[in-house]
Amino acid sequence: MPAWIKRLSTAPGGRRSKWLVLVAWLIVAVALGPLAGKLGDVEETGPNAFLPKGAESARVNTELEKFRTDELTAAVVVYTGADRAAVEAAGKEARADVSDFAPFVADGHRIAPPLPSVDGKALMTVVPMDGGDGITDKVDELRDVAGAHAPPGVDVEVGGPAASLTDSVAVFDTLDSTLMIATGLVVAALLLLTYRSPILWLFPLLSVGFAAALTQATTYLLAKYAGLPVDPQSAGVLMVLVFGVGTDYALLLIARYREELHRTEDRHAAMRVALRRSGPAILASAGTIAVGLACLAFADINSSRSLGLVGAVGVVCAFLAMVTVLPALLVICGRWVFWPFVPRLGTPARKPHTVWSRIGGALARRPRWSWMMSVATTGVLALSALGITMGLSQSEMFQDKPESVIAQEHIAAHFPSGASDPAKIVTASERAAQVRTAAAETPGVARVENGDRTPDGQLTTLSVVLKDAPDSEAAKNTVDALRSSVHAVEGADALVGGTTAQTLDTQRAADRDLRTVIPVVLLVVLGVLIWLLRALVAPLLLLATVVLSFLAALGASNLLFEHVLGFAGIDWSIPLMGFVFLVALGIDYNIFLMHRVKEEATRLGHTRGVLEGLTSTGGVITSAGIVLAATFAVFAGLPLVTMAQMGVIVGIGVLLDTFLVRTVLVPALALDLGRWFWWPGRLFRTADRDDAVTATRAPGSSPRPTAEHRR
């Protein structure tokens, strides 16, 4: 490594340069702080934000923009009751309500009379609304008006696309603040428990605050001027990711700094050593996570691409803050920040016999049995993933059903299920009649209604009411058949969109993304591990353990979803999101462990290096894993099932990596393979000699300090 890079990497620990680092961050915070609060201004909330790029349903949304200067979105008022007489009375009231609903109707449109169901137990009124800004407020007002005029014994709900959008926006409106508060409280509590100091826990949180401000400002600038896609979901996950990985890096650096303070009187020298020793591991970790998340740029689904690219920005900003402003703050304040457990020169950095040394001793006695039992345990959990039910309907996307979902259930029970949310066809006007005939003859179609024309008359829309619920498998099959029928009309260039088509396109894109992105992520992570460890066998084994851990986490989460949380299935986006996050985050702990093992094996030989690396990193990696798992567990309390599922899977996977893979499986494999673990690197050639040298030392003797430690 060039000398100038070494000097730059240790600048936060310098006597004068620490002040420059702190001043630089304060300037950045003051300059970019106002931009941090503008991230919501660049979030994409349009109809294509969560759809696959280039999908037919997304193209329909784009074409529909040509029909009006403002987007038309329907709200559906549903009246239901067990008493036919009460519902008939509601029908009379609903006809009177039409005038009350008039302020909510888009210009140039009217409200059709209430449509009664065949069984006489329900009525449905469609309110065509202007889908522009303020639609969520209008839907809330419409609900108030409809509820105020409901006759006794009749339930009134407002559903349809406009209400679904309103309920979804209501979830995301509080997402950022809820996640920030919950994550901050969780991290603060865990840091207090970890350090048992009333002071030290503030420094990681303060540094994460700098990282959060830089992340939001950078994301805003990239979204505004470089086209970085940002949606409400990725913006919410961003802060949790920054808190999680930032705290992990803080724990690793502080642990190494405290260790060096026991050996070095000068705190500046101790921090420089800590940065040199832990910096490569933190850099490799941040690089692995950032590049792994950036691989989601190859995904078709826009929301997946957004989450990956935005997450990569957050990880890079967290890394920069934790290796610059955190060391500067710690060195400026001195040893007293560790009070009441202030590290003193010459005292041992840890107790001679810890739980981690005992675990290492047990692994050394029976390494093969240990790793085989670990593989068997994770394998049994992974088998539970075979019974996963994939896909969630609209009514299953929320932990607590919002009003729009209840309205859709009532519509499905009394009307053709697709009446509230018909499929949309955009076709050339000159072929509209043929397309309508083809659509009407398609099995599964209840009826076809004429729509609008573009101002130039070139395009026409058709509304297709499906017999089945919009989010059912039968409706998806109908959309497939409908597409085949209308595509066969020559010269029509017909496209089929709508909610059912969007669900179908997203499902298929998620399957394609799994086959495309996963191999890329694996190759990228493998490359980083080979660069870090200068070996081939060790990286392959580490990657295999993380993949096994992901499968085990998926299986364990499936059992939890099915038997405890009562989820109907797993959303199509979760396997890919879970894989990328777990491989990128889970490899962290193997990187932290094996970087230290490699360092110790160079001095002590392979066997003692593995045991010393496990013992010295056991406490800090365990703390880091618990913090990261707890931050993602915050998602479990969110109303969106997809967010809750991602939080549970990542949390369980991180705990498996922390307590089983990193603690037992990886060290046992390294001990069992011996020097072959490092093939074909330098340690493979020198491990036998180093083991022989260290074996001649007296049992229990301490390793010789390095020249850097002697200084």
Side-chain angles (χ1 to χ4, degrees):
M1 183 183 296
W4 69 271
I5 294 182
K6 290 183 178 180
R7 289 194 299 271
L8 184 63
S9 64
T10 58
R15 295 183 183 278
R16 290 184 295 272
S17 54
K18 64 179 185 288
W19 295 106
L20 296 177
V21 170
L22 181 58
V23 170
W25 269 100
L26 291 174
I27 293 174
V28 168
V30 172
L32 299 182
L35 299 179
K38 294 185 177 182
L39 185 57
D41 297 343
V42 293
E43 291 179 5
E44 297 179 9
T45 57
N48 290 342
F50 295 90
L51 294 180
K53 57 182 180 181
E56 185 169 337
S57 57
R59 291 161 59 196
V60 168
N61 289 334
T62 302
E63 293 296 318
L64 288 176
E65 295 177 1
K66 300 177 181 179
F67 287 80
R68 295 174 52 89
T69 56
D70 54 344
E71 183 183 352
L72 192 68
T73 305
V76 182
V77 184
V78 186
Y79 302 83
T80 56
D83 185 356
R84 295 175 66 101
V87 174
E88 290 176 0
K92 297 177 181 178
E93 189 69 36
R95 290 182 178 88
D97 285 345
V98 168
S99 59
D100 295 323
F101 296 162
F104 307 105
V105 179
D107 294 339
H109 288 76
R110 62 184 180 84
I111 302 176
L115 176 67
S117 63
V118 175
D119 60 10
K121 296 182 179 181
L123 288 167
M124 180 175 69
T125 299
V126 178
V127 182
M129 304 181 69
D130 182 354
D133 294 338
I135 185 173
T136 57
D137 294 333
K138 293 178 182 177
V139 169
D140 289 335
E141 294 175 14
L142 177 62
R143 285 171 168 167
D144 292 337
V145 171
H149 294 84
V154 175
D155 296 325
V156 180
E157 291 90 19
V158 177
S164 296
L165 175 64
T166 299
D167 291 337
S168 297
V169 169
V171 171
F172 285 112
D173 274 348
T174 59
L175 182 64
D176 290 351
S177 58
T178 301
L179 285 177
M180 282 285 285
I181 294 171
T183 304
L185 292 175
V186 167
V187 171
L190 291 174
L191 288 174
L192 275 169
L193 291 174
T194 300
Y195 292 129
R196 293 171 293 166
S197 168
I199 303 167
L200 184 57
W201 67 277
L202 292 170
F203 289 83
L205 278 185
L206 181 59
S207 302
V208 168
F210 278 107
L214 177 62
T215 298
Q216 289 191 324
T218 303
T219 305
Y220 168 78
L221 292 173
L222 290 175
K224 188 171 180 64
Y225 299 107
L228 178 70
V230 181
D231 58 53
Q233 176 179 277
S234 60
V237 174
L238 178 61
M239 287 300 97
V240 175
L241 186 63
V242 170
F243 265 87
V245 299
T247 306
D248 271 10
Y249 300 155
L251 288 167
L252 186 68
L253 178 63
I254 291 173
R256 194 60 188 257
Y257 175 51
R258 171 185 272 170
E259 188 177 325
E260 297 302 329
L261 286 175
H262 286 277
R263 300 182 177 130
T264 308
E265 182 176 3
D266 184 0
R267 67 181 187 273
H268 298 89
M271 180 57 77
R272 289 195 295 270
V273 173
L275 285 169
R276 278 196 293 267
R277 296 296 186 186
S278 62
I282 297 176
L283 175 61
S285 167
T288 303
I289 298 174
V291 177
L293 291 176
C295 289
L296 285 171
F298 295 100
D300 280 340
I301 300 177
N302 289 329
S303 57
S304 298
R305 294 169 53 242
S306 173
L307 184 58
L309 295 174
V310 169
V313 173
V315 171
V316 171
C317 293
F319 165 77
L320 292 175
M322 292 306 135
V323 297
T324 54
V325 69
L326 176 61
L329 289 172
L330 291 172
V331 173
I332 287 171
C333 295
R335 294 174 183 258
W336 67 270
V337 299
F338 292 94
W339 185 88
F341 305 100
V342 180
R344 303 297 182 186
L345 180 64
T347 59
R350 61 178 182 272
K351 297 178 181 178
H353 300 291
T354 65
V355 63
W356 301 106
S357 63
R358 291 193 290 271
I359 290 174
L363 294 178
R365 287 190 293 272
R366 304 185 68 181
R368 185 164 301 174
W369 181 89
S370 299
W371 71 257
M372 290 180 68
M373 289 300 296
S374 299
V375 170
T377 301
T378 50
V380 168
L381 290 174
L383 288 176
S384 301
L386 297 177
I388 286 178
T389 300
M390 294 301 302
L392 295 171
S393 66
Q394 184 65 29
S395 62
E396 296 163 349
M397 294 294 288
F398 298 89
Q399 298 205 55
D400 296 319
K401 291 182 181 180
E403 185 174 333
S404 59
V405 170
I406 298 173
Q408 178 57 44
E409 291 177 347
H410 289 167
I411 293 171
H414 301 284
F415 297 91
S417 297
S420 68
D421 196 359
K424 294 289 185 181
I425 297 178
V426 177
T427 181
S429 298
E430 60 183 12
R431 296 290 182 179
Q434 294 93 321
V435 170
R436 175 170 181 165
T437 300
E441 294 174 351
T442 303
V445 172
R447 63 179 184 272
V448 182
E449 301 172 351
N450 289 327
D452 298 327
R453 283 193 175 194
T454 53
D456 60 7
Q458 296 296 312
L459 298 176
T460 296
T461 63
L462 300 173
S463 293
V464 182
V465 177
L466 308 181
K467 294 179 180 178
D468 303 289
D471 51 12
S472 65
E473 287 300 318
K476 296 174 189 175
N477 294 334
T478 301
V479 167
D480 265 337
L482 184 62
R483 283 175 168 172
S484 298
S485 299
V486 301
H487 290 172
V489 179
E490 293 186 5
D493 296 327
L495 301 172
V496 178
T499 301
T500 305
Q502 292 171 7
T503 302
L504 181 63
D505 291 341
T506 300
Q507 174 182 323
R508 290 175 175 169
D511 186 55
R512 289 195 302 271
D513 289 347
L514 276 173
R515 298 194 302 269
T516 303
V517 176
I518 285 179
V520 176
V521 172
L522 291 176
L523 287 174
V524 166
V525 173
L526 180 62
V528 173
L529 290 174
I530 291 174
W531 167 78
L532 180 69
L533 300 178
R534 303 297 194 271
L536 184 59
V537 172
L540 287 172
L541 288 175
L542 293 179
L543 197 60
T545 61
V546 174
V547 173
L548 181 61
S549 175
F550 162 71
L551 295 175
L554 193 61
S557 299
N558 183 49
L559 294 175
L560 192 62
F561 297 155
E562 184 175 349
H563 300 292
V564 179
L565 298 177
F567 296 155
I570 293 180
D571 187 69
W572 286 100
S573 64
I574 293 301
L576 179 62
M577 294 294 98
F579 179 84
V580 172
F581 270 92
L582 277 181
V583 170
L585 295 173
I587 206 69
D588 259 17
Y589 306 113
N590 285 330
I591 288 176
F592 295 160
L593 170 65
M594 297 315 300
H595 182 266
R596 186 62 180 265
V597 166
K598 182 185 176 186
E599 177 185 334
E600 300 297 343
T602 303
R603 300 190 300 114
L604 306 174
H606 175 73
T607 301
R608 286 193 62 188
V610 171
L611 298 180
E612 179 66 17
L614 175 62
T615 302
S616 59
T617 62
V620 63
I621 294 180
T622 300
S623 299
I626 293 173
V627 169
L628 188 61
T631 55
F632 273 90
V634 171
F635 286 136
L638 295 178
L640 278 178
V641 170
T642 52
M643 302 285 280
Q645 288 181 341
M646 186 173 70
V648 170
I649 288 178
V650 174
I652 291 177
V654 168
L655 292 178
L656 283 172
D657 283 325
T658 302
F659 288 100
L660 185 60
V661 174
R662 184 268 316 176
T663 302
V664 179
L665 180 54
V666 170
L669 280 170
L671 291 170
D672 192 25
L673 288 174
R675 71 188 185 98
W676 285 96
F677 189 75
W678 303 105
W679 185 88
R682 186 179 63 84
L683 278 176
F684 167 73
R685 299 187 296 272
T686 61
D688 286 342
R689 181 191 66 201
D690 292 341
D691 278 339
V693 171
T694 57
T696 62
R697 297 179 185 152
S701 62
S702 300
R704 292 191 300 267
T706 64
E708 188 168 42
H709 288 157
R710 286 196 297 271
R711 287 196 297 270

